[in-house]
Amino acid sequence: MIRSVVRGFGTALPKRVLTNAELESMVDTSDEWIVQRTGIQQRYIAGEGETTASLGEGAARAALDKAGLTAADIDLIIVATSTPDNTFPATAVNIQNRLGMHHGFAFDLQAVCSGFVYAVTTADAYIRGGLAKRVLVIGTETFSRILDWTDRTTCVLFGDGAGAIVLEAREGTGTNTDRGVLTTQLRSDGAHRDKLFVDGGPSTTGTVGHLRMEGREVFKHAVGMITDVVYSSFDATGLTADDIDWLVPHQANKRIIDGSAKKLGIPLEKVVVTVDQHGNTSAASIPLALAAAASDGRIKEGDIVLLEAMGGGFTWGAVLLRW
Ligand code: UT7
């Protein structure tokens, strides 16, 4: 059986850090409110010349370096983003060109905060189906460019950044002892559209629009949806919460992360948290957190790693893999 194994990882962040203290001078908020309600202490904001494609390129180059590969070794690039450089062509094609890659194929995938989980699932399907051998999976966002900077209920929550992994086809035994992706679980339900959306688009307003969110409503659904897909991952593999070495959740809110871990019975020492440093970077949050824990030696080869996310759509999903 073919498995999709993580061979490299990398990140890129904008130069500029925006602290909670600076936000206090922009909207009616406080460092205390932001930290207590979300766990966020700072976020990175893209400046001039920094775009979703340039950040994605940086993360991709770092992941290729770590893997000891070049763009010549990649056959597919999947970019998860909701903040593309242009309506078209895809940011993935832009990054492909920036990497000097003119073979293979590249496309974008849009599942908002669940984008990275959707992209890993898609890459795994292409790899197991024999359509690709090595896939660059990139989550990259510049949410700062779709925020309403006068709306304190949303502008304090999000940040910019990018993370990438290289997934490679390897022969496995078909059991949980294999390295690589062991199961993926995706869900969506468009009935929840109005709770988290962007009020513009090419086919409606002809504008880019701004992010709108009923935070409390999203919060209400988050823990239940996250834990449901995780339980499905356990059912599919026979693994349990006790087998998880590292939970790497989407980084939206420390309270959602803690609540999900508690409900799943995963101790907080096994949970990777970067929301304090990055804020919510949507599709980039999981690969940013993964890279943080893998590069400081927490995640080691052979560890069981659980990824989960929930976001606009609603979309939600989980990936269980052995590092
Ligand atoms: O990434 C994908 C999905 N997104 C999420 O997962 C986000 C989910 N939601 C959340 O994380 C939380 O709901 C928020 C962090 C957005 C809000 O936290 P909350 O505990 O649900 O607060 P709330 O919306 O119930 O607001 C409580 C109060 C309100 O004032 P009143 O009505 O009680 O007087 C808000 O107006 O806090 C007020 N408030 C603020 N105060 C200071 C809202 N935003 C701010 C702010 N600074 N930035």
Side-chain angles (χ1 to χ4, degrees):
M1 177 175 179
I2 296 174
R3 294 289 197 188
S4 311
V5 175
V6 178
R7 175 156 171 178
F9 54 85
T11 64
L13 290 163
K15 286 184 208 68
R16 182 173 171 230
V17 172
L18 178 66
T19 63
N20 292 347
E22 287 172 84
L23 279 164
E24 287 177 359
S25 67
M26 295 163 66
V27 286
D28 180 16
T29 191
S30 66
D31 174 55
E32 192 193 0
W33 189 94
I34 300 171
V35 172
Q36 270 182 8
R37 300 280 177 144
T38 72
I40 299 168
Q41 291 176 3
Q42 62 166 49
R43 71 287 292 140
Y44 292 80
I45 301 293
E48 210 180 319
E50 291 176 321
T51 69
T52 294
S54 76
L55 294 169
E57 177 196 357
R61 287 188 185 280
L64 287 170
D65 269 3
K66 189 84 189 166
L69 297 170
T70 70
D73 302 309
I74 300 296
D75 10 68
L76 166 61
I77 300 175
I78 303 177
V79 170
T81 189
S82 303
T83 47
D85 278 30
N86 299 96
T87 302
F88 76 79
T91 300
V93 176
N94 185 335
I95 293 173
Q96 180 190 24
N97 187 47
R98 286 163 175 265
L99 295 174
M101 176 177 159
H102 304 287
H103 65 278
F105 61 117
F107 60 85
D108 286 2
L109 182 156
Q110 207 265 66
V112 203
C113 296
S114 310
F116 192 75
V117 165
Y118 269 64
V120 169
T121 300
T122 306
D124 179 51
Y126 275 80
I127 288 172
R128 284 188 297 104
L131 293 167
K133 285 206 157 48
R134 287 201 196 96
V135 186
L136 249 178
V137 184
I138 307 169
T140 178
E141 304 279 14
T142 46
F143 260 53
S144 65
R145 305 229 158 103
I146 56 164
L147 294 177
D148 173 352
W149 287 98
T150 64
D151 175 12
R152 69 172 183 173
T153 69
T154 53
C155 76
V156 305
L157 303 174
F158 295 89
D160 303 335
I165 60 171
V166 178
L167 279 178
E168 179 175 82
R170 301 252 182 102
E171 205 55 55
T173 60
T175 67
N176 291 335
T177 61
D178 289 344
R179 287 187 65 202
V181 175
L182 301 175
T183 189
T184 62
Q185 305 287 328
L186 299 184
R187 307 278 186 277
S188 65
D189 183 355
H192 299 285
R193 179 223 180 251
D194 291 347
K195 300 183 181 90
L196 177 47
F197 67 105
V198 170
D199 62 3
S203 183
T204 49
T205 58
T207 63
V208 171
H210 292 108
L211 181 148
R212 305 292 172 203
M213 177 165 76
E214 291 176 37
R216 211 174 309 185
E217 284 299 310
V218 179
F219 197 108
K220 238 166 51 187
H221 287 84
V223 173
M225 287 178 160
I226 290 163
T227 48
D228 271 357
V229 280
V230 172
Y231 291 138
S232 297
S233 306
F234 291 161
D235 287 347
T237 55
L239 295 172
T240 69
D242 292 340
D243 297 309
I244 304 302
D245 294 301
W246 293 104
L247 169 61
V248 185
H250 168 51
Q251 310 281 319
N253 186 322
K254 181 76 165 55
R255 286 154 59 211
I256 296 175
I257 294 173
D258 290 353
S260 307
K262 189 169 172 213
K263 192 164 166 198
L264 290 166
I266 298 175
L268 291 182
E269 307 84 72
K270 293 184 170 185
V271 183
V272 179
V273 177
T274 52
V275 71
D276 54 331
Q277 296 303 303
H278 302 150
N280 182 348
T281 57
S282 195
S285 90
I286 289 177
L288 278 166
L290 255 184
S295 52
D296 69 17
R298 274 178 288 172
I299 298 179
K300 294 184 196 63
E301 189 170 314
D303 281 354
I304 293 284
V305 179
L306 171 61
L307 318 180
E308 51 82 347
M310 178 269 183
F314 291 155
T315 56
W316 64 108
V319 173
L320 248 182
L321 59 90
R322 188 181 289 280
W323 194 255

